[in-house]
Amino acid sequence: QVQLVESGGGSSQAGGSLRLTCTASGYTHSDICLGWFRQAPGKEREGVAGIYAGGGSTYYTDPVKGRFTINQDGAKNTVYLQMNSLKPEDTAMYYCAAYTGGSWSSCGIRIRSKSADFDYWGQGTQVTVSS
């Protein structure tokens, strides 16, 4: 059982930056994919970025490529999402998610898939970007 706790959401003006943090517990193996998803009011949940702990491969969806960076601190079981050049359309509830036992390639596929097939979810943290 994996527990995920997010923090770091808040408000920013367009062009600003925020960093989200997700701390994972309950799983010590490296075959874990950690991802960030977001859901804005009235819209479907969408993948944002993901990282495969074993090796650190990273994945991004098109709306955030070049602006967001995901990285991990293995010693702290923590994943960060650095969000730069924020836009009003980035406003959403952001969720940390994880699944275990998959491969690095499946991590990227699942992040980009609309099914959001992750087994564990955090409670979410709100990000609001004003124009």
Side-chain angles (χ1 to χ4, degrees), residues 51-73:
I51 186 165
Y52 187 70
S57 297
T58 58
Y59 310 93
Y60 300 93
T61 56
D62 288 343
V64 306
K65 276 182 183 177
R67 300 188 299 121
F68 291 11
T69 302
I70 187 170
N71 55 30
Q72 64 177 346
D73 182 336

Side-chain angles (χ1 to χ4, degrees), residues 18-36:
L18 288 171
R19 188 176 80 159
L20 305 184
T21 299
C22 174
T23 301
S25 61
Y27 193 80
T28 58
H29 304 289
S30 61
D31 59 343
I32 181 170
C33 173
L34 289 145
W36 288 96

Side-chain angles (χ1 to χ4, degrees), residues 1 5 8-9 17 19-20 22 25 28 31 48 65-66 68 84-85 88 93-94 96 100 109 112 114 118 121 125 131:
Q1 192 80 2
V5 178
S17 299
R19 188 176 80 159
L20 305 184
C22 174
S25 61
T28 58
D31 59 343
V48 175
K65 276 182 183 177
F68 291 11
N84 298 329
S85 301
M93 184 70 79
Y94 283 70
C96 180
T100 62
I109 292 171
R112 300 182 180 108
K114 288 188 176 182
F118 280 60
W121 293 83
T125 185
S131 58

Side-chain angles (χ1 to χ4, degrees), residues 108-121:
I109 292 171
R110 292 198 188 194
I111 283 293
R112 300 182 180 108
S113 169
K114 288 188 176 182
S115 65
D117 191 14
F118 280 60
D119 299 320
Y120 307 100
W121 293 83

Side-chain angles (χ1 to χ4, degrees), residues 38-46 89 91-93 95 126:
R38 66 185 183 186
Q39 187 167 20
K43 294 188 177 181
E44 291 184 346
R45 182 171 52 192
E46 63 175 354
E89 50 264 44
T91 295
M93 184 70 79
Y95 298 90
Q126 179 68 37

